[in-house]
Amino acid sequence: MISITDTPPSEVEENLNLLRADLNSKIPSKKLDRNLLIATWNIRAFGNLTRKWDSDDADSPKRDLHSVLCIAEIISRFDVIAIQEVKGNIRALRDTLKVLGANWSFLLTDVNKGKVGNGERMAFLFDKRRVQLSGLAGELVVPDEWQDNLEEHVMSKQFVRSPYAVSFQSNNHTFILVTLHILYGSSPKSRIDELKGIAKWLSEWAKDINAYHQDLIALGDFNIDERGDLLDKTFLSEGLYIPPQLQNKEVTRSIFDTSKYYDQIAWFNSQTNGPKLSMEFLNGGNYDFVPFALKNRRLTNHSLSWLISDHYPLWAEFKI
């Protein structure tokens, strides 16, 4: 059986060299004790894989070893990345970690057993040379008091996929990342409760941890359709802030529809007495892998979405 650690065919290596060159030109380099690169990526059905370099029409799943090498190359450019749609079978994730090497580690939740949870996990992958765990890890749930108090009512049930919070430390600076994958549902309206719930939860928590000089950043797939729509306004209703660089229409989220605004990286940026991020935001954007990942195979975007993803990774660079 072919292994991810075997030497890839020449055409695979040539494709990876193209991808590396493009990443070098578009993603900031890691600078010791100077910057921090945080990313989020919904990797479509990131579960099992076919142990071939090039899967064919009869193979299921379509994701193969060449795809995993491309995914790992992209992930390696960041210090810590939140990944959504990790499935119960984590073979592709484990192979990705083998490619990344011994300097990388991960944390992930258990599988969501609910039907609408789609059998997904939340995960963080991080470069141990740049980022260390600082102690906290847990899933967020809605307090009962919020359900009973009509004035504070935000949700009638728990999150479909519980948001996952983990604290990290880089260069003696502590920050907490909260990743989530909001319910898609039958209509945009069905997402409002969860968006309001997470916004309120983060606002209440940020006020507490800010006193301890810990930064809080929310990132993941919020299933927001368009900039400025009701879903976007609901998400930002408790004071969360998205920098202009990540609101730019050129920073697209979906490989199918450039208008979609699904994925976000956001934090609190109060100009008064509320919580405010202490790290300085430098820049951010997406990474469009479509022209380079698996280029030699001349795939449609539909086929590429099952091998790599239907979402672009979104990243933010901070000064620490």
Side-chain angles (χ1 to χ4, degrees), residues 10 25 38 43 51 58 71 88-89 96 119 151 182 186 200 209 211 214 231 247 265-266 272 275 278 283 287 289:
S10 58
S25 69
I38 295 173
I43 302 181
R51 292 200 180 279
I71 289 169
N89 184 322
T96 299
E151 292 182 357
I182 289 291
S186 58
K200 179 173 174 58
I209 65 172
Q214 295 179 344
L231 298 177
Q247 296 192 53
I265 301 175
T272 55
S278 64
N283 201 1
Y287 177 66
F289 53 81

Side-chain angles (χ1 to χ4, degrees), residues 78-302:
F78 309 111
D79 296 318
V80 56
I81 182 168
I83 298 178
Q84 301 85 47
E85 281 202 35
V86 178
K87 307 294 280 186
N89 184 322
I90 59 170
R91 176 178 285 181
L93 174 63
R94 290 198 177 279
D95 272 22
T96 299
L97 286 160
K98 287 179 183 178
V99 177
L100 290 169
N103 290 320
W104 280 77
S105 189
F106 73 107
L107 283 176
L108 76 166
T109 65
D110 198 359
V111 177
N112 186 303
K113 298 296 186 181
K115 182 178 180 181
V116 289
N118 198 30
E120 295 179 21
R121 307 173 188 260
M122 304 286 189
F124 287 104
L125 275 62
F126 57 99
D127 185 341
K128 295 184 293 184
R129 296 166 298 183
R130 304 261 300 168
V131 172
Q132 297 80 43
L133 295 173
S134 64
L136 180 147
E139 297 180 44
L140 310 189
V141 296
V142 182
D144 288 341
E145 290 79 5
W146 289 9
Q147 315 290 11
D148 300 330
N149 186 336
L150 293 177
E151 292 182 357
E152 297 292 339
H153 175 75
V154 289
M155 293 180 69
S156 59
K157 54 186 177 181
Q158 290 297 331
F159 298 106
V160 168
R161 291 170 282 245
S162 298
Y164 188 38
V166 175
S167 64
F168 297 92
Q169 189 176 68
S170 180
N171 196 25
N172 295 319
H173 187 91
T174 300
F175 57 97
I176 298 172
L177 301 183
V178 183
T179 184
L180 65 155
H181 188 184
I182 289 291
L183 167 76
Y184 189 79
S186 58
S187 69
K189 185 179 179 180
S190 62
R191 305 169 210 164
I192 291 175
D193 280 355
E194 283 205 347
L195 284 167
K196 182 63 177 177
I198 190 61
K200 179 173 174 58
W201 214 114
L202 294 173
S203 176
E204 294 292 328
W205 197 19
K207 292 169 186 173
D208 289 336
I209 65 172
N210 190 248
Y212 297 93
H213 306 290
Q214 295 179 344
D215 288 326
L216 182 69
I217 298 173
L219 69 174
D221 182 356
F222 294 82
N223 274 318
I224 295 172
D225 284 329
E226 298 179 10
R227 295 160 179 80
D229 69 5
L230 179 58
L231 298 177
D232 190 28
K233 290 176 181 177
T234 300
F235 173 56
L236 301 176
S237 62
E238 296 286 340
L240 280 163
Y241 167 82
I242 302 170
Q245 292 92 329
L246 296 180
Q247 296 192 53
N248 189 317
K249 290 185 178 181
E250 299 301 316
V251 181
T252 54
R253 274 66 167 175
S254 167
I255 72 171
F256 296 124
D257 187 341
T258 58
S259 71
K260 297 302 182 185
Y261 198 43
Y262 297 141
D263 309 280
Q264 306 294 341
I265 301 175
W267 54 88
F268 293 94
N269 193 38
S270 174
Q271 301 303 312
T272 55
N273 295 322
K276 182 178 175 66
L277 196 74
S278 64
M279 294 188 294
E280 179 186 350
F281 172 72
L282 298 176
N283 201 1
N286 67 345
Y287 177 66
D288 181 359
F289 53 81
V290 172
F292 296 95
L294 312 183
K295 181 180 180 180
N296 59 307
R297 291 160 65 169
R298 296 178 176 83
L299 300 166
T300 64
N301 277 13
H302 176 75

Side-chain angles (χ1 to χ4, degrees), residues 15-23 70 73-74 287 289 292-293:
N15 176 243
L16 288 171
N17 286 335
L18 285 173
L19 181 62
R20 290 180 187 121
D22 190 59
L23 283 161
C70 291
E73 190 64 46
I74 294 168
Y287 177 66
F289 53 81
F292 296 95

